[in-house]
Amino acid sequence: MNIIVWLVVGGVAGWLASLVMARDGQQGILLNVVVGIVGAVIAGWLFGAGINDAITVMTFVYSVIGAIILLAIINLINRGRVR
C-alpha cells in the first residue's frame, strides 16, 4: 500500500512542478510520476531529509522543489536544441 501512496504523491508533485515550469503539455502522467520521485530523491539529497515511511507536508514541499530543480536542469540541457 505504501508504494501506491508514494506513486500518487510523486505524480502530484511532478504535476505541480510541471505546471510551475510550464512543461505540463509536454509530459504525461508517467513522466510526472518519474519527475516527482526523482525530485524527491534530489530534495532528500539537497535538504538532508531522510527517506522514511511518513509523507508529511514538508516532505511533499521538498519533493515539489526537487522536481522543479530537475525540470530546470532539463530545460537548461534542452535550451540548445531545436524545439
Side-chain angles (χ1 to χ4, degrees), residues 1 8 17 19 26-27 35 50 58 70 72-73 80:
M1 186 73 165
V8 169
L19 286 177
Q26 301 167 354
Q27 296 183 179
V35 166
M58 286 311 298
L70 174 65
I73 292 169

Side-chain angles (χ1 to χ4, degrees), residues 7-17 32-33 36 60 64:
L7 290 175
V8 169
V9 171
V12 173
W15 175 69
L16 287 175
N32 280 337
V33 171
F60 180 74
V64 172

Side-chain angles (χ1 to χ4, degrees), residues 15-44:
W15 175 69
L16 287 175
S18 68
L19 286 177
V20 170
M21 296 299 292
R23 292 185 57 98
D24 191 45
Q26 301 167 354
Q27 296 183 179
I29 293 171
L30 183 63
L31 196 54
N32 280 337
V33 171
V34 171
V35 166
I37 292 172
V38 173
V41 171
I42 291 171

Side-chain angles (χ1 to χ4, degrees), residues 39-50 58-59 61-67 69:
V41 171
I42 291 171
W45 180 69
L46 286 177
F47 301 118
M58 286 311 298
T59 58
V61 170
Y62 288 153
S63 297
V64 172
I65 292 171
I69 292 169

